[in-house]
Amino acid sequence: LSKEILRLDTKDEIINSLNNFSWGNNDKSKIFLKLFNLDNDLFIQARRSKSPSKENISPVNQKNIEDWRFLLHEYQESIRKEITSFLIGSKKKLIVHMPTGAGKTRTMMESLCDFYRMTPKDNLLTIWMAYSDELCTQAVESFEERWQLRGAEQVQLIRFWGGRNIPEIDASKPTLVITSFDTCYSALSSRNNDTFSFFAKLKRSNALTVVDEAHQAPAPTYAEAINSITGQAKLVGLTATPGRGGGEEGNKVSEFFDKNKITLRGKFADPTPIKYLQNQNILSDVTYYQLEGSKLEIDQKHWEYIQKELKIPDEISQIIAEDTSRNITIIQDIIELVEKDKQIIVFAVSVLHAQLLTICLKTQGIKAACIEGATPYSERVDGIESFKQGKLNVLINFGVLTTGFDAPKTDAVVIARPTLSVVLYSQMLGRGIRGPNMGGTKDCIIVNVKDNFLNLPGVDQAFTFFENDWS
């Protein structure tokens, strides 16, 4: 790169060369990092190939079933029995309401194993829908784990997300299709004959649809995809927050699932579900503290937008993201948490804010990575795996890790993204509260960056926030 620039004669040629510079896993990028004595591994990830569209999952003889990954906890077993009763009953819709970190996916996968074993059809087909690629991947891993232990025959697993090729389905085998909302909606409106035919085959054969992060189900595109692929099949939703907002928005979720909800009750809710799970070391004990955020003068137009949409306007988000004093406070706090040997997830205001925080931390010698919607597949996978393995101290993101991200050893969450959504806030703080009996940590620190127009509940209040919508 430097030799190329030295060969150029004019300022315009140099600027044009730099503008055409493509960052990534290539020789020019590596030369650039070498010039500044920077570590390749922190800035460039190797390319990864995607897992196959189709594979067969067979039962195996598990010897160590005492491990926490294999046995359900008592409260999970109670929920599993209720789900299984629904699956063999006459009702068509159900939502399962369990706190983040309590094992919704694992519990539902046990019931799915029950469904495959109980149903007399040899070619039973079920569909699992999730919000993101990460959630789809976690669903695959969870099913493989449960079916290898509980299964009685080979099940055909289909990955239908992330631009994978459409596979041929063996119509004689029991089948699980795992897909994303976006892929499903695109297939619904596709003009490609193969895609349309594949989607039509799924609709005809489907016996059960499971929707992860089901509070998003009533959104127009998601609802259309779910209703279309479900047809007359049964529908089960999973969520930690069974609502979308106040008033009509909250009711949309309960109406979508026919107001049929199961949750932790009786001794599993004594004194509350969250407190019970913390006492059982299922969830972490949470310590909160606040950092001073931005002090904004919000005009009438923006206040009206906030009150109507329950969202932060982009103009306000940009001001917050560029607040130097706020950013210095956040960076200093993250560095102090790293010095205490914490593994930290940070929720940024925007993509540029996430990138800015990451760069600033790296210049201070902190091992950090940035994940956002446009991050290439390989970089996302490598960043997340490095964080899970403890090779990174800090994982900073915008709009990716709010739902279902599973890194049990996370023990600090910095919420630097202002939000008026109880659902979003609950999902963010939920990334760090998995306790020792779920492979996580005893304690978790939640750091709220408090700007001057927010007032959100804690994890306990967030779990019960939507109860009136279901009564």
mmCIF file of all heavy atoms in Angstrom, residues 237-283:
data_model
loop_
_atom_site.group_PDB
_atom_site.id
_atom_site.type_symbol
_atom_site.label_atom_id
_atom_site.label_comp_id
_atom_site.label_asym_id
_atom_site.label_seq_id
_atom_site.Cartn_x
_atom_site.Cartn_y
_atom_site.Cartn_z
ATOM 1 N N GLY A 237 -45.135 -19.631 20.826
ATOM 2 C CA GLY A 237 -44.206 -18.509 20.894
ATOM 3 C C GLY A 237 -43.393 -18.557 22.179
ATOM 4 O O GLY A 237 -43.871 -19.027 23.209
ATOM 5 N N LEU A 238 -42.156 -18.071 22.121
ATOM 6 C CA LEU A 238 -41.274 -18.006 23.275
ATOM 7 C C LEU A 238 -40.840 -16.565 23.487
ATOM 8 O O LEU A 238 -40.440 -15.891 22.537
ATOM 9 C CB LEU A 238 -40.011 -18.856 23.060
ATOM 10 C CG LEU A 238 -40.178 -20.286 22.562
ATOM 11 C CD1 LEU A 238 -38.803 -20.908 22.300
ATOM 12 C CD2 LEU A 238 -40.958 -21.118 23.563
ATOM 13 N N THR A 239 -40.924 -16.077 24.727
ATOM 14 C CA THR A 239 -40.492 -14.706 24.985
ATOM 15 C C THR A 239 -40.249 -14.482 26.468
ATOM 16 O O THR A 239 -40.797 -15.192 27.310
ATOM 17 C CB THR A 239 -41.540 -13.689 24.478
ATOM 18 O OG1 THR A 239 -41.019 -12.363 24.612
ATOM 19 C CG2 THR A 239 -42.838 -13.792 25.272
ATOM 20 N N ALA A 240 -39.427 -13.472 26.762
ATOM 21 C CA ALA A 240 -39.244 -13.010 28.137
ATOM 22 C C ALA A 240 -40.094 -11.782 28.403
ATOM 23 O O ALA A 240 -40.277 -11.396 29.561
ATOM 24 C CB ALA A 240 -37.772 -12.681 28.396
ATOM 25 N N THR A 241 -40.629 -11.181 27.337
ATOM 26 C CA THR A 241 -41.422 -9.954 27.468
ATOM 27 C C THR A 241 -42.644 -10.070 26.563
ATOM 28 O O THR A 241 -42.569 -9.709 25.386
ATOM 29 C CB THR A 241 -40.582 -8.720 27.065
ATOM 30 O OG1 THR A 241 -39.920 -9.002 25.815
ATOM 31 C CG2 THR A 241 -39.548 -8.398 28.118
ATOM 32 N N PRO A 242 -43.763 -10.575 27.076
ATOM 33 C CA PRO A 242 -44.919 -10.869 26.208
ATOM 34 C C PRO A 242 -45.762 -9.637 25.875
ATOM 35 O O PRO A 242 -46.955 -9.584 26.105
ATOM 36 C CB PRO A 242 -45.719 -11.869 27.045
ATOM 37 C CG PRO A 242 -45.452 -11.446 28.450
ATOM 38 C CD PRO A 242 -44.029 -10.957 28.464
ATOM 39 N N GLY A 243 -45.111 -8.614 25.325
ATOM 40 C CA GLY A 243 -45.797 -7.397 24.914
ATOM 41 C C GLY A 243 -44.866 -6.573 24.058
ATOM 42 O O GLY A 243 -43.678 -6.863 23.947
ATOM 43 N N ARG A 244 -45.397 -5.537 23.415
ATOM 44 C CA ARG A 244 -44.583 -4.680 22.548
ATOM 45 C C ARG A 244 -44.537 -3.245 23.035
ATOM 46 O O ARG A 244 -43.717 -2.463 22.600
ATOM 47 C CB ARG A 244 -45.144 -4.697 21.126
ATOM 48 C CG ARG A 244 -44.872 -5.981 20.394
ATOM 49 C CD ARG A 244 -45.635 -6.058 19.091
ATOM 50 N NE ARG A 244 -45.390 -4.937 18.192
ATOM 51 C CZ ARG A 244 -44.347 -4.844 17.389
ATOM 52 N NH1 ARG A 244 -43.425 -5.786 17.396
ATOM 53 N NH2 ARG A 244 -44.207 -3.821 16.578
ATOM 54 N N GLY A 245 -45.425 -2.871 23.921
ATOM 55 C CA GLY A 245 -45.503 -1.502 24.407
ATOM 56 C C GLY A 245 -46.783 -1.348 25.193
ATOM 57 O O GLY A 245 -47.411 -2.327 25.566
ATOM 58 N N GLY A 246 -47.188 -0.116 25.435
ATOM 59 C CA GLY A 246 -48.415 0.094 26.185
ATOM 60 C C GLY A 246 -49.651 0.016 25.316
ATOM 61 O O GLY A 246 -49.594 0.045 24.091
ATOM 62 N N GLY A 247 -50.809 -0.113 25.937
ATOM 63 C CA GLY A 247 -52.098 -0.015 25.249
ATOM 64 C C GLY A 247 -52.267 -1.031 24.151
ATOM 65 O O GLY A 247 -52.070 -2.228 24.341
ATOM 66 N N GLU A 248 -52.632 -0.546 22.946
ATOM 67 C CA GLU A 248 -52.935 -1.436 21.827
ATOM 68 C C GLU A 248 -51.740 -2.294 21.432
ATOM 69 O O GLU A 248 -51.891 -3.451 21.078
ATOM 70 C CB GLU A 248 -53.386 -0.608 20.622
ATOM 71 C CG GLU A 248 -54.743 0.068 20.815
ATOM 72 C CD GLU A 248 -55.161 0.829 19.583
ATOM 73 O OE1 GLU A 248 -54.450 0.740 18.565
ATOM 74 O OE2 GLU A 248 -56.192 1.515 19.634
ATOM 75 N N GLU A 249 -50.519 -1.728 21.500
ATOM 76 C CA GLU A 249 -49.339 -2.502 21.106
ATOM 77 C C GLU A 249 -49.154 -3.718 22.006
ATOM 78 O O GLU A 249 -48.770 -4.788 21.564
ATOM 79 C CB GLU A 249 -48.092 -1.604 21.145
ATOM 80 C CG GLU A 249 -47.990 -0.627 19.999
ATOM 81 C CD GLU A 249 -47.914 -1.332 18.654
ATOM 82 O OE1 GLU A 249 -47.065 -2.220 18.490
ATOM 83 O OE2 GLU A 249 -48.710 -1.005 17.763
ATOM 84 N N GLY A 250 -49.402 -3.528 23.307
ATOM 85 C CA GLY A 250 -49.283 -4.634 24.240
ATOM 86 C C GLY A 250 -50.318 -5.701 23.963
ATOM 87 O O GLY A 250 -50.027 -6.900 23.976
ATOM 88 N N ASN A 251 -51.538 -5.298 23.697
ATOM 89 C CA ASN A 251 -52.616 -6.253 23.446
ATOM 90 C C ASN A 251 -52.412 -7.063 22.176
ATOM 91 O O ASN A 251 -52.932 -8.172 22.055
ATOM 92 C CB ASN A 251 -53.960 -5.501 23.357
ATOM 93 C CG ASN A 251 -54.413 -4.994 24.706
ATOM 94 O OD1 ASN A 251 -54.084 -5.592 25.731
ATOM 95 N ND2 ASN A 251 -55.148 -3.896 24.718
ATOM 96 N N LYS A 252 -51.667 -6.510 21.218
ATOM 97 C CA LYS A 252 -51.471 -7.219 19.947
ATOM 98 C C LYS A 252 -50.804 -8.576 20.159
ATOM 99 O O LYS A 252 -51.135 -9.550 19.475
ATOM 100 C CB LYS A 252 -50.629 -6.366 18.990
ATOM 101 C CG LYS A 252 -51.393 -5.227 18.347
ATOM 102 C CD LYS A 252 -50.495 -4.448 17.398
ATOM 103 C CE LYS A 252 -51.265 -3.291 16.753
ATOM 104 N NZ LYS A 252 -50.391 -2.490 15.861
ATOM 105 N N VAL A 253 -49.869 -8.643 21.091
ATOM 106 C CA VAL A 253 -49.171 -9.904 21.332
ATOM 107 C C VAL A 253 -50.119 -10.921 21.957
ATOM 108 O O VAL A 253 -50.193 -12.072 21.534
ATOM 109 C CB VAL A 253 -47.929 -9.701 22.223
ATOM 110 C CG1 VAL A 253 -47.216 -11.027 22.465
ATOM 111 C CG2 VAL A 253 -46.981 -8.699 21.588
ATOM 112 N N SER A 254 -50.868 -10.493 22.972
ATOM 113 C CA SER A 254 -51.781 -11.427 23.644
ATOM 114 C C SER A 254 -52.869 -11.905 22.687
ATOM 115 O O SER A 254 -53.245 -13.081 22.688
ATOM 116 C CB SER A 254 -52.395 -10.763 24.884
ATOM 117 O OG SER A 254 -53.131 -9.615 24.539
ATOM 118 N N GLU A 255 -53.363 -11.017 21.843
ATOM 119 C CA GLU A 255 -54.395 -11.410 20.873
ATOM 120 C C GLU A 255 -53.824 -12.345 19.803
ATOM 121 O O GLU A 255 -54.504 -13.272 19.348
ATOM 122 C CB GLU A 255 -54.997 -10.167 20.227
ATOM 123 C CG GLU A 255 -55.859 -9.353 21.202
ATOM 124 C CD GLU A 255 -56.245 -8.003 20.651
ATOM 125 O OE1 GLU A 255 -55.850 -7.688 19.499
ATOM 126 O OE2 GLU A 255 -56.941 -7.249 21.364
ATOM 127 N N PHE A 256 -52.596 -12.115 19.400
ATOM 128 C CA PHE A 256 -51.969 -12.946 18.374
ATOM 129 C C PHE A 256 -51.886 -14.397 18.840
ATOM 130 O O PHE A 256 -52.016 -15.328 18.043
ATOM 131 C CB PHE A 256 -50.564 -12.411 18.051
ATOM 132 C CG PHE A 256 -49.954 -12.979 16.804
ATOM 133 C CD1 PHE A 256 -50.151 -12.377 15.576
ATOM 134 C CD2 PHE A 256 -49.176 -14.129 16.857
ATOM 135 C CE1 PHE A 256 -49.591 -12.897 14.415
ATOM 136 C CE2 PHE A 256 -48.609 -14.670 15.712
ATOM 137 C CZ PHE A 256 -48.820 -14.053 14.486
ATOM 138 N N PHE A 257 -51.687 -14.589 20.158
ATOM 139 C CA PHE A 257 -51.572 -15.937 20.715
ATOM 140 C C PHE A 257 -52.816 -16.352 21.501
ATOM 141 O O PHE A 257 -52.753 -17.196 22.402
ATOM 142 C CB PHE A 257 -50.321 -16.029 21.592
ATOM 143 C CG PHE A 257 -49.036 -16.008 20.797
ATOM 144 C CD1 PHE A 257 -48.364 -14.822 20.566
ATOM 145 C CD2 PHE A 257 -48.539 -17.172 20.255
ATOM 146 C CE1 PHE A 257 -47.189 -14.792 19.820
ATOM 147 C CE2 PHE A 257 -47.364 -17.165 19.504
ATOM 148 C CZ PHE A 257 -46.688 -15.971 19.282
ATOM 149 N N ASP A 258 -53.950 -15.748 21.141
ATOM 150 C CA ASP A 258 -55.245 -16.119 21.716
ATOM 151 C C ASP A 258 -55.269 -16.024 23.243
ATOM 152 O O ASP A 258 -55.992 -16.767 23.918
ATOM 153 C CB ASP A 258 -55.646 -17.546 21.293
ATOM 154 C CG ASP A 258 -55.918 -17.658 19.808
ATOM 155 O OD1 ASP A 258 -56.098 -16.609 19.157
ATOM 156 O OD2 ASP A 258 -55.932 -18.791 19.292
ATOM 157 N N LYS A 259 -54.467 -15.132 23.800
ATOM 158 C CA LYS A 259 -54.394 -14.915 25.260
ATOM 159 C C LYS A 259 -54.140 -16.213 26.031
ATOM 160 O O LYS A 259 -54.580 -16.381 27.162
ATOM 161 C CB LYS A 259 -55.657 -14.226 25.778
ATOM 162 C CG LYS A 259 -55.830 -12.816 25.237
ATOM 163 C CD LYS A 259 -56.652 -11.944 26.152
ATOM 164 C CE LYS A 259 -56.604 -10.479 25.703
ATOM 165 N NZ LYS A 259 -57.156 -9.564 26.681
ATOM 166 N N ASN A 260 -53.414 -17.121 25.387
ATOM 167 C CA ASN A 260 -53.097 -18.401 26.015
ATOM 168 C C ASN A 260 -51.613 -18.407 26.377
ATOM 169 O O ASN A 260 -50.757 -18.585 25.507
ATOM 170 C CB ASN A 260 -53.426 -19.562 25.065
ATOM 171 C CG ASN A 260 -53.249 -20.917 25.717
ATOM 172 O OD1 ASN A 260 -53.342 -21.038 26.934
ATOM 173 N ND2 ASN A 260 -52.985 -21.928 24.914
ATOM 174 N N LYS A 261 -51.309 -18.207 27.655
ATOM 175 C CA LYS A 261 -49.927 -18.060 28.096
ATOM 176 C C LYS A 261 -49.641 -18.973 29.272
ATOM 177 O O LYS A 261 -50.470 -19.140 30.161
ATOM 178 C CB LYS A 261 -49.654 -16.608 28.511
ATOM 179 C CG LYS A 261 -48.205 -16.342 28.903
ATOM 180 C CD LYS A 261 -47.982 -14.896 29.321
ATOM 181 C CE LYS A 261 -48.559 -14.659 30.711
ATOM 182 N NZ LYS A 261 -47.904 -13.542 31.415
ATOM 183 N N ILE A 262 -48.426 -19.567 29.267
ATOM 184 C CA ILE A 262 -47.954 -20.267 30.457
ATOM 185 C C ILE A 262 -46.675 -19.584 30.940
ATOM 186 O O ILE A 262 -45.894 -19.054 30.143
ATOM 187 C CB ILE A 262 -47.698 -21.766 30.189
ATOM 188 C CG1 ILE A 262 -46.671 -21.979 29.081
ATOM 189 C CG2 ILE A 262 -48.980 -22.479 29.856
ATOM 190 C CD1 ILE A 262 -46.290 -23.441 28.875
ATOM 191 N N THR A 263 -46.486 -19.594 32.259
ATOM 192 C CA THR A 263 -45.330 -18.934 32.846
ATOM 193 C C THR A 263 -45.010 -19.586 34.180
ATOM 194 O O THR A 263 -45.653 -20.564 34.574
ATOM 195 C CB THR A 263 -45.607 -17.421 33.017
ATOM 196 O OG1 THR A 263 -44.393 -16.761 33.409
ATOM 197 C CG2 THR A 263 -46.696 -17.167 34.057
ATOM 198 N N LEU A 264 -44.023 -19.074 34.880
ATOM 199 C CA LEU A 264 -43.652 -19.615 36.178
ATOM 200 C C LEU A 264 -44.698 -19.223 37.212
ATOM 201 O O LEU A 264 -45.013 -18.037 37.353
ATOM 202 C CB LEU A 264 -42.276 -19.115 36.605
ATOM 203 C CG LEU A 264 -41.059 -19.859 36.036
ATOM 204 C CD1 LEU A 264 -40.971 -19.708 34.526
ATOM 205 C CD2 LEU A 264 -39.782 -19.369 36.687
ATOM 206 N N ARG A 265 -45.233 -20.244 37.932
ATOM 207 C CA ARG A 265 -46.289 -19.989 38.919
ATOM 208 C C ARG A 265 -45.962 -20.753 40.208
ATOM 209 O O ARG A 265 -45.042 -21.566 40.265
ATOM 210 C CB ARG A 265 -47.650 -20.454 38.403
ATOM 211 C CG ARG A 265 -48.103 -19.789 37.114
ATOM 212 C CD ARG A 265 -49.522 -20.223 36.756
ATOM 213 N NE ARG A 265 -49.978 -19.650 35.494
ATOM 214 C CZ ARG A 265 -49.833 -20.208 34.315
ATOM 215 N NH1 ARG A 265 -49.245 -21.390 34.220
ATOM 216 N NH2 ARG A 265 -50.280 -19.629 33.217
ATOM 217 N N GLY A 266 -46.793 -20.518 41.219
ATOM 218 C CA GLY A 266 -46.669 -21.248 42.479
ATOM 219 C C GLY A 266 -45.323 -21.022 43.126
ATOM 220 O O GLY A 266 -44.847 -19.892 43.233
ATOM 221 N N LYS A 267 -44.672 -22.092 43.553
ATOM 222 C CA LYS A 267 -43.393 -21.952 44.253
ATOM 223 C C LYS A 267 -42.298 -21.394 43.343
ATOM 224 O O LYS A 267 -41.295 -20.846 43.823
ATOM 225 C CB LYS A 267 -42.955 -23.284 44.842
ATOM 226 C CG LYS A 267 -42.554 -24.342 43.828
ATOM 227 C CD LYS A 267 -42.080 -25.605 44.540
ATOM 228 C CE LYS A 267 -41.615 -26.672 43.560
ATOM 229 N NZ LYS A 267 -41.142 -27.877 44.253
ATOM 230 N N PHE A 268 -42.501 -21.519 42.018
ATOM 231 C CA PHE A 268 -41.514 -20.990 41.089
ATOM 232 C C PHE A 268 -41.643 -19.473 40.915
ATOM 233 O O PHE A 268 -40.862 -18.870 40.175
ATOM 234 C CB PHE A 268 -41.643 -21.675 39.727
ATOM 235 C CG PHE A 268 -41.599 -23.172 39.802
ATOM 236 C CD1 PHE A 268 -42.605 -23.949 39.250
ATOM 237 C CD2 PHE A 268 -40.558 -23.820 40.458
ATOM 238 C CE1 PHE A 268 -42.566 -25.338 39.319
ATOM 239 C CE2 PHE A 268 -40.515 -25.203 40.537
ATOM 240 C CZ PHE A 268 -41.519 -25.957 39.972
ATOM 241 N N ALA A 269 -42.614 -18.887 41.573
ATOM 242 C CA ALA A 269 -42.801 -17.432 41.521
ATOM 243 C C ALA A 269 -42.793 -16.841 42.927
ATOM 244 O O ALA A 269 -43.409 -15.809 43.175
ATOM 245 C CB ALA A 269 -44.108 -17.083 40.815
ATOM 246 N N ASP A 270 -42.102 -17.498 43.856
ATOM 247 C CA ASP A 270 -42.086 -17.074 45.260
ATOM 248 C C ASP A 270 -40.718 -16.495 45.619
ATOM 249 O O ASP A 270 -39.717 -17.225 45.607
ATOM 250 C CB ASP A 270 -42.403 -18.268 46.164
ATOM 251 C CG ASP A 270 -42.525 -17.892 47.631
ATOM 252 O OD1 ASP A 270 -42.672 -16.694 47.920
ATOM 253 O OD2 ASP A 270 -42.438 -18.799 48.473
ATOM 254 N N PRO A 271 -40.597 -15.191 45.918
ATOM 255 C CA PRO A 271 -41.674 -14.193 45.943
ATOM 256 C C PRO A 271 -42.026 -13.662 44.547
ATOM 257 O O PRO A 271 -43.116 -13.181 44.313
ATOM 258 C CB PRO A 271 -41.086 -13.083 46.810
ATOM 259 C CG PRO A 271 -39.606 -13.179 46.584
ATOM 260 C CD PRO A 271 -39.319 -14.645 46.413
ATOM 261 N N THR A 272 -41.065 -13.746 43.620
ATOM 262 C CA THR A 272 -41.319 -13.431 42.206
ATOM 263 C C THR A 272 -40.504 -14.438 41.392
ATOM 264 O O THR A 272 -39.559 -15.051 41.904
ATOM 265 C CB THR A 272 -40.853 -12.004 41.823
ATOM 266 O OG1 THR A 272 -39.416 -11.951 41.895
ATOM 267 C CG2 THR A 272 -41.468 -10.947 42.725
ATOM 268 N N PRO A 273 -40.839 -14.634 40.100
ATOM 269 C CA PRO A 273 -40.038 -15.556 39.285
ATOM 270 C C PRO A 273 -38.546 -15.193 39.261
ATOM 271 O O PRO A 273 -37.694 -16.084 39.338
ATOM 272 C CB PRO A 273 -40.676 -15.433 37.895
ATOM 273 C CG PRO A 273 -42.095 -15.068 38.174
ATOM 274 C CD PRO A 273 -42.036 -14.145 39.360
ATOM 275 N N ILE A 274 -38.234 -13.909 39.136
ATOM 276 C CA ILE A 274 -36.832 -13.497 39.081
ATOM 277 C C ILE A 274 -36.120 -13.823 40.390
ATOM 278 O O ILE A 274 -35.018 -14.396 40.401
ATOM 279 C CB ILE A 274 -36.712 -11.989 38.772
ATOM 280 C CG1 ILE A 274 -37.346 -11.657 37.411
ATOM 281 C CG2 ILE A 274 -35.246 -11.549 38.804
ATOM 282 C CD1 ILE A 274 -36.679 -12.290 36.223
ATOM 283 N N LYS A 275 -36.742 -13.464 41.520
ATOM 284 C CA LYS A 275 -36.116 -13.724 42.826
ATOM 285 C C LYS A 275 -35.955 -15.230 43.060
ATOM 286 O O LYS A 275 -34.930 -15.673 43.589
ATOM 287 C CB LYS A 275 -36.961 -13.103 43.940
ATOM 288 C CG LYS A 275 -36.940 -11.582 43.964
ATOM 289 C CD LYS A 275 -35.572 -11.062 44.361
ATOM 290 C CE LYS A 275 -35.606 -9.555 44.651
ATOM 291 N NZ LYS A 275 -35.930 -8.754 43.472
ATOM 292 N N TYR A 276 -36.955 -16.009 42.674
ATOM 293 C CA TYR A 276 -36.848 -17.469 42.818
ATOM 294 C C TYR A 276 -35.637 -17.987 42.043
ATOM 295 O O TYR A 276 -34.832 -18.776 42.568
ATOM 296 C CB TYR A 276 -38.125 -18.158 42.316
ATOM 297 C CG TYR A 276 -37.973 -19.657 42.185
ATOM 298 C CD1 TYR A 276 -38.123 -20.497 43.288
ATOM 299 C CD2 TYR A 276 -37.633 -20.233 40.958
ATOM 300 C CE1 TYR A 276 -37.949 -21.877 43.167
ATOM 301 C CE2 TYR A 276 -37.463 -21.607 40.834
ATOM 302 C CZ TYR A 276 -37.623 -22.421 41.943
ATOM 303 O OH TYR A 276 -37.433 -23.779 41.812
ATOM 304 N N LEU A 277 -35.498 -17.547 40.794
ATOM 305 C CA LEU A 277 -34.405 -18.032 39.951
ATOM 306 C C LEU A 277 -33.048 -17.549 40.459
ATOM 307 O O LEU A 277 -32.042 -18.266 40.337
ATOM 308 C CB LEU A 277 -34.631 -17.603 38.503
ATOM 309 C CG LEU A 277 -35.861 -18.225 37.815
ATOM 310 C CD1 LEU A 277 -36.078 -17.609 36.445
ATOM 311 C CD2 LEU A 277 -35.727 -19.735 37.704
ATOM 312 N N GLN A 278 -33.004 -16.358 41.028
ATOM 313 C CA GLN A 278 -31.754 -15.889 41.625
ATOM 314 C C GLN A 278 -31.406 -16.713 42.861
ATOM 315 O O GLN A 278 -30.243 -17.084 43.068
ATOM 316 C CB GLN A 278 -31.864 -14.406 41.978
ATOM 317 C CG GLN A 278 -31.826 -13.499 40.752
ATOM 318 C CD GLN A 278 -32.058 -12.036 41.076
ATOM 319 O OE1 GLN A 278 -32.810 -11.708 42.012
ATOM 320 N NE2 GLN A 278 -31.422 -11.149 40.326
ATOM 321 N N ASN A 279 -32.409 -17.031 43.673
ATOM 322 C CA ASN A 279 -32.170 -17.850 44.870
ATOM 323 C C ASN A 279 -31.689 -19.254 44.508
ATOM 324 O O ASN A 279 -30.976 -19.900 45.287
ATOM 325 C CB ASN A 279 -33.445 -17.947 45.718
ATOM 326 C CG ASN A 279 -33.808 -16.625 46.369
ATOM 327 O OD1 ASN A 279 -32.951 -15.748 46.539
ATOM 328 N ND2 ASN A 279 -35.082 -16.455 46.708
ATOM 329 N N GLN A 280 -32.086 -19.729 43.310
ATOM 330 C CA GLN A 280 -31.674 -21.055 42.841
ATOM 331 C C GLN A 280 -30.369 -21.002 42.028
ATOM 332 O O GLN A 280 -29.949 -22.022 41.472
ATOM 333 C CB GLN A 280 -32.777 -21.659 41.963
ATOM 334 C CG GLN A 280 -34.104 -21.880 42.684
ATOM 335 C CD GLN A 280 -34.007 -22.925 43.781
ATOM 336 O OE1 GLN A 280 -33.426 -23.988 43.574
ATOM 337 N NE2 GLN A 280 -34.551 -22.620 44.943
ATOM 338 N N ASN A 281 -29.752 -19.826 41.961
ATOM 339 C CA ASN A 281 -28.522 -19.622 41.182
ATOM 340 C C ASN A 281 -28.723 -19.895 39.688
ATOM 341 O O ASN A 281 -27.780 -20.241 38.966
ATOM 342 C CB ASN A 281 -27.374 -20.488 41.709
ATOM 343 C CG ASN A 281 -26.799 -19.965 43.004
ATOM 344 O OD1 ASN A 281 -26.748 -18.754 43.227
ATOM 345 N ND2 ASN A 281 -26.378 -20.864 43.877
ATOM 346 N N ILE A 282 -29.978 -19.766 39.239
ATOM 347 C CA ILE A 282 -30.270 -19.848 37.802
ATOM 348 C C ILE A 282 -29.925 -18.512 37.150
ATOM 349 O O ILE A 282 -29.351 -18.464 36.055
ATOM 350 C CB ILE A 282 -31.753 -20.187 37.560
ATOM 351 C CG1 ILE A 282 -32.139 -21.505 38.242
ATOM 352 C CG2 ILE A 282 -32.059 -20.228 36.067
ATOM 353 C CD1 ILE A 282 -31.414 -22.721 37.720
ATOM 354 N N LEU A 283 -30.298 -17.428 37.798
ATOM 355 C CA LEU A 283 -29.962 -16.083 37.342
ATOM 356 C C LEU A 283 -28.949 -15.458 38.297
ATOM 357 O O LEU A 283 -28.897 -15.795 39.484
ATOM 358 C CB LEU A 283 -31.209 -15.202 37.271
ATOM 359 C CG LEU A 283 -32.313 -15.647 36.311
ATOM 360 C CD1 LEU A 283 -33.442 -14.622 36.314
ATOM 361 C CD2 LEU A 283 -31.783 -15.836 34.892
#
